[in-house]
Amino acid sequence: MHTLRKMRLFDYLNYLFLIGFSCLMLYPLLYVFSISVSDGEAVWKQSVKLFPIGFNLDAYEAIARANAVVRAYRNSIVYTVLGTSFTLIVCLLAAYPLSEPRFRWRGPVSLILGLTLFFSAGLIPTYLTYQSYGLLNTIWVITLPVAFNFWFIILVRANISTIPRELKDAARVDGASDFRILLQIIVPLSKPILATIALFVAVAIWNDFFNPLLYLNNSEKFPLTIMLRRMLIRGATGEVVQGNYADTLQAKAFFRQVKMATVIVTLGPILLVYPFVQKYFVQGTLVGAIKG
Amino acid sequence: MAIGAGVVPKKSDPRSRLHDWRERLEKDLRNNWQLYVMILPVLVGFFLFRFYPLYGLQIAFKDYNIVAGVRGSEWVGLENFFKFVEDPFFFRVVKNTVVLGFWTLVISYPLPIIFAVLLNEVKQQHGLFKRVTQSISYLPHFVAVVVIVGLIYDFFSFDGIVNQIAVALTGDTVRILGASEWFRPLYVGSVVWQGVGWGSIIYLAALTGIPPELYEAAIVDGASRWQRIKYVTLPGLLPVISVTLILSVSSIISVGFERAFLLQQPATYNVSDVIATYVYRRGLIKFDFSYGAAIGLFDSVVAFALVVAANYIVKRTNEDREGLW
């Protein structure tokens, strides 16, 4: 065991590499934060390289006053909460009958729904179909289709099958209905897997750019990701932030701070909960990997 | 239990059997109606959002027009596919997709394995260091692609941080954004930044399954560190590696839409226009729905064929003849 504990040259290099790797992962995020809170002057003189220089929250104030950003933020929250709720409801409604021996169609139904893991119609046919439903430009097109994911149903079903049968049988003998068993026995005992799924779906919807780009063209409905593209990639920060700004270097630098502040508030919810929920994410990937 | 197993029909008369079957179904509906109520909305949703769009896939073989709709449009057979093969941009988008997919695979596939192996070499007494490094490495996975690309636009612009460093080192500004030769490095680099840590999770899990006794025995036998990695760590990872390899091979032809779309500019189309972005532009922006659907179908068929081929090759090359299926 002695040799295993002793540090050698390789170990020092390895540790150095891993530390460098961590810095590479963190630096962009730190830099973005520093730009967003630094003094305006330090930003336009380009002296911010790592840590904030000075301190001011003007950029954050500007975002809070920018109706478009506030609206997009609200939309993102609504889409995320709603889409995640729908997903969990669908998972439970599907997984319970599909794990219940009394449901005689569970074989064929699993097989048919399972096909969706292998085939998808592709962008254009899906778009035309949703269009024919009149779903374009509605909140539903972002929150409903995402809920019908057989992969998550498999995870919940696998979890339900680990719950001892006796619990369900005892409840049934006592006269509990299926809905009551689902709500009072299955849901409390499935909390970890439901939390894992909720996290995955929530992050996916929060970060989704593709679906809003395809299905929404009314700026009232845009989520943050579409707003971020306008500001960061299309360079339209000036239109988004209200107020009169001269075409100066100072204004340009301020817009840059506004962009970075928008990135920070977008990442904010994820970064805040990340340390506490990380283990669910890791478990989730592993469950998925093993079952797959 | 199969449907109706264990119930022997009393008579072979078909009408009586139908009657029995109906009776059983009615009884089942009466007793288990709640299960049916639960599954019904699920079936409706899957039908509307997952299955019915497949019906619309027929427009790939039709000349879709908005007035006639999916059903009423005229059949044209494989015309849309021939049109794609003869398209002056066919070669360009297929080549761009494959080249981008290839470099992404070649560079971003092995890195999580290397990262996991290096992390595995961290001493047991430094568990905290290992955990913190792991946590930090997962973080970029949660950053939206649009944010990453947005930051690339900021960092690599003329007065961005990268050019500030370049000027300090060489005195010259480099034009990176909108330059074709930089598109692929930026694309692959952002995939790597985002995916190395997250991709390593599955390998790290596999590594925890290797019994520590194997390492101890290897040390007693005088194995060097490199020999331990080669003869203990890597063989322990091999089953996982073959699975992830099969799964990632199809990524060669299906380059994700978001990153390419956000990172590309008309000036870089010669390297950045991939099948997915071309489908979007032709199909939805220029309203050539049938053509877009046909290209999309072509893409998925090729991707599927690649997975099957990779599975076959892995089965052939490894000794246990084990593939994904």
Side-chain angles (χ1 to χ4, degrees):
Chain A
M1 218 49 206
H2 188 68
T3 30
L4 271 179
R5 293 185 70 86
K6 209 173 120 196
M7 294 283 282
R8 315 187 70 133
L9 179 65
F10 172 91
D11 291 302
Y12 288 111
L13 289 177
N14 188 21
Y15 283 37
L16 204 64
F17 170 82
L18 290 174
I19 291 169
F21 178 85
S22 295
C23 292
L24 197 66
M25 297 289 122
L26 287 179
Y27 175 72
L29 303 177
L30 174 65
Y31 179 74
V32 166
F33 176 74
S34 299
I35 294 280
S36 76
V37 298
S38 286
D39 232 25
E41 199 185 318
V43 175
W44 76 262
K45 284 185 175 159
Q46 295 193 335
S47 37
V48 181
K49 309 278 185 206
L50 185 63
F51 291 108
I53 297 175
F55 182 76
N56 90 86
L57 294 175
D58 290 354
Y60 290 88
E61 255 173 65
I63 302 180
R65 272 186 284 109
N67 291 335
V69 179
V70 174
R71 194 170 51 217
Y73 207 82
R74 205 176 49 219
N75 287 340
S76 278
I77 293 174
V78 172
Y79 296 158
T80 304
V81 171
L82 215 55
T84 309
S85 314
F86 286 150
T87 307
L88 293 182
I89 292 170
V90 169
C91 278
L92 286 167
L93 286 182
Y96 180 75
L98 292 181
S99 63
E100 180 59 56
R102 286 182 303 121
F103 185 59
R104 58 206 303 226
W105 310 103
R106 64 188 211 286
V109 169
S110 298
L111 195 72
I112 291 169
L113 299 189
L115 289 177
T116 58
L117 294 177
F118 303 98
F119 301 102
S120 108
L123 183 128
I124 310 280
T126 308
Y127 176 87
L128 290 175
T129 310
Y130 293 179
Q131 188 184 40
S132 73
Y133 297 157
L135 281 176
L136 297 195
N137 260 318
T138 64
I139 168 173
W140 312 115
V141 75
I142 305 295
T143 54
L144 268 179
V146 71
F148 295 90
N149 185 330
F150 192 61
W151 186 237
F152 294 137
I153 296 176
I154 296 180
L155 296 185
V156 180
R157 187 182 62 182
N159 183 73
I160 293 180
S161 64
T162 64
I163 298 173
R165 268 225 66 80
E166 293 75 28
L167 275 176
K168 285 193 264 181
D169 291 342
R172 199 183 313 288
V173 168
D174 290 345
S177 66
D178 283 310
F179 278 105
R180 190 142 171 218
I181 294 175
L182 178 60
L183 282 178
Q184 298 195 334
I185 296 178
I186 305 293
V187 171
L189 289 174
S190 305
K191 269 186 196 153
I193 190 73
L194 292 177
T196 305
I197 291 172
L199 288 171
F200 270 100
V201 178
V203 171
I205 300 178
W206 185 260
N207 284 344
D208 184 21
F209 168 78
F210 184 61
N211 288 310
L213 173 79
L214 287 189
Y215 300 124
L216 305 178
N217 55 37
N218 176 353
S219 58
E220 300 265 317
K221 300 250 164 60
F222 284 162
L224 265 177
T225 46
I226 300 283
M227 201 52 65
L228 282 165
R229 180 190 179 214
R230 273 182 70 192
M231 295 169 72
L232 287 140
I233 299 175
R234 290 290 181 80
T237 311
E239 299 161 30
V240 174
V241 184
Q242 287 139 339
N244 287 319
Y245 295 98
D247 189 16
T248 58
L249 277 176
Q250 280 90 337
K252 218 182 136 210
F254 181 64
F255 287 160
R256 226 179 130 222
Q257 290 191 283
V258 173
K259 289 185 207 171
M260 297 307 169
T262 316
V263 169
I264 291 295
V265 296
T266 307
L267 294 177
I270 298 175
L271 294 186
L272 281 181
V273 297
Y274 178 70
F276 308 103
V277 299
Q278 197 212 117
K279 72 165 197 256
Y280 287 115
F281 277 119
V282 173
Q283 277 164 9
T285 1
L286 289 177
V287 173
I290 292 157
K291 295 261 154 48
Chain B
M1 201 200 295
I3 302 163
V7 183
V8 185
K10 284 167 201 119
K11 291 169 207 156
S12 55
D13 176 13
R15 267 164 67 198
S16 155
R17 266 163 76 179
L18 187 67
H19 181 76
D20 282 357
W21 187 81
R22 266 186 59 182
E23 208 166 70
R24 275 208 313 276
L25 188 66
E26 273 166 25
K27 196 173 155 228
D28 185 38
L29 276 171
R30 247 195 330 275
N31 290 340
N32 300 322
W33 62 272
Q34 299 194 33
L35 296 177
Y36 286 91
V37 171
M38 283 179 193
I39 203 78
L40 191 68
V42 177
L43 292 178
V44 170
F46 268 95
F47 176 76
L48 288 178
F49 299 123
R50 301 273 174 251
F51 287 104
Y52 196 60
L54 288 169
Y55 176 76
L57 199 51
Q58 61 178 284
I59 65 164
F61 306 94
K62 285 186 162 183
D63 181 16
Y64 179 80
N65 77 68
I66 297 169
V67 184
V70 171
R71 196 196 294 249
S73 297
E74 211 176 312
W75 290 98
V76 294
L78 293 174
E79 198 181 283
N80 291 311
F81 296 89
F82 291 131
K83 193 172 138 195
F84 181 45
V85 178
E86 285 159 12
D87 191 321
F89 292 117
F90 169 78
F91 183 70
R92 185 173 91 173
V93 294
V94 171
K95 190 193 91 185
N96 286 343
T97 308
V98 172
V99 171
L100 207 55
F102 174 79
W103 283 114
T104 309
L105 182 69
V106 167
I107 295 173
S108 78
Y109 179 76
L111 287 177
I113 303 175
I114 296 169
F115 178 64
V117 169
L118 291 181
L119 213 52
N120 190 48
E121 290 298 317
V122 170
K123 303 281 173 200
Q124 255 170 8
Q125 67 265 33
H126 300 141
L128 182 68
F129 172 72
K130 187 175 165 181
R131 279 201 303 281
V132 170
T133 309
Q134 257 174 289
S135 294
I136 292 174
S137 76
Y138 302 155
L139 206 51
H141 174 79
F142 298 100
V143 179
V145 172
V146 64
V147 167
I148 293 183
V149 175
L151 294 182
I152 287 178
Y153 274 73
D154 184 86
F155 293 180
F156 292 86
S157 65
F158 274 118
D159 50 1
I161 182 83
V162 173
N163 262 319
Q164 289 171 31
I165 296 168
V167 168
L169 292 178
T170 65
D172 278 330
T173 313
V174 193
R175 182 167 164 271
I176 300 173
L177 294 173
S180 290
E181 67 271 27
W182 282 101
F183 175 80
R184 282 172 192 149
L186 287 180
Y187 181 96
V188 177
S190 76
V191 172
V192 167
W193 184 75
Q194 199 168 17
V196 171
W198 191 252
S200 70
I201 290 180
I202 184 168
Y203 303 112
L204 286 165
L207 286 174
T208 57
I210 299 177
E213 297 82 44
L214 284 182
Y215 287 102
E216 284 157 27
I219 289 167
V220 171
D221 289 348
S224 70
R225 184 189 305 265
W226 171 239
Q227 283 170 327
R228 293 201 298 270
I229 292 177
K230 194 174 161 195
Y231 294 112
V232 181
T233 309
L234 289 180
L237 284 179
L238 209 56
V240 184
I241 287 179
S242 63
V243 170
T244 51
L245 191 61
I246 296 171
L247 290 176
S248 45
V249 161
S250 70
S251 66
I252 287 189
I253 193 79
S254 18
V255 166
F257 173 82
E258 273 192 20
R259 197 182 304 266
F261 174 77
L262 289 166
L263 203 52
Q264 72 182 187
Q265 297 170 2
T268 63
Y269 277 168
N270 63 327
V271 292
S272 68
D273 198 15
V274 294
I275 295 176
T277 54
Y278 191 61
V279 168
Y280 172 77
R281 260 204 337 278
R282 285 301 294 264
L284 287 187
I285 304 298
K286 295 187 177 160
F287 304 113
D288 204 345
F289 294 112
S290 279
Y291 191 46
I295 304 175
L297 184 59
F298 167 85
D299 193 22
S300 355
V301 170
V302 175
F304 187 69
L306 278 176
V307 176
V308 174
N311 189 52
Y312 178 79
I313 293 168
V314 168
K315 259 186 181 167
R316 278 286 132 140
T317 45
N318 81 29
E319 288 158 12
D320 312 328
R321 294 272 183 276
E322 270 184 66
L324 211 51
W325 62 83

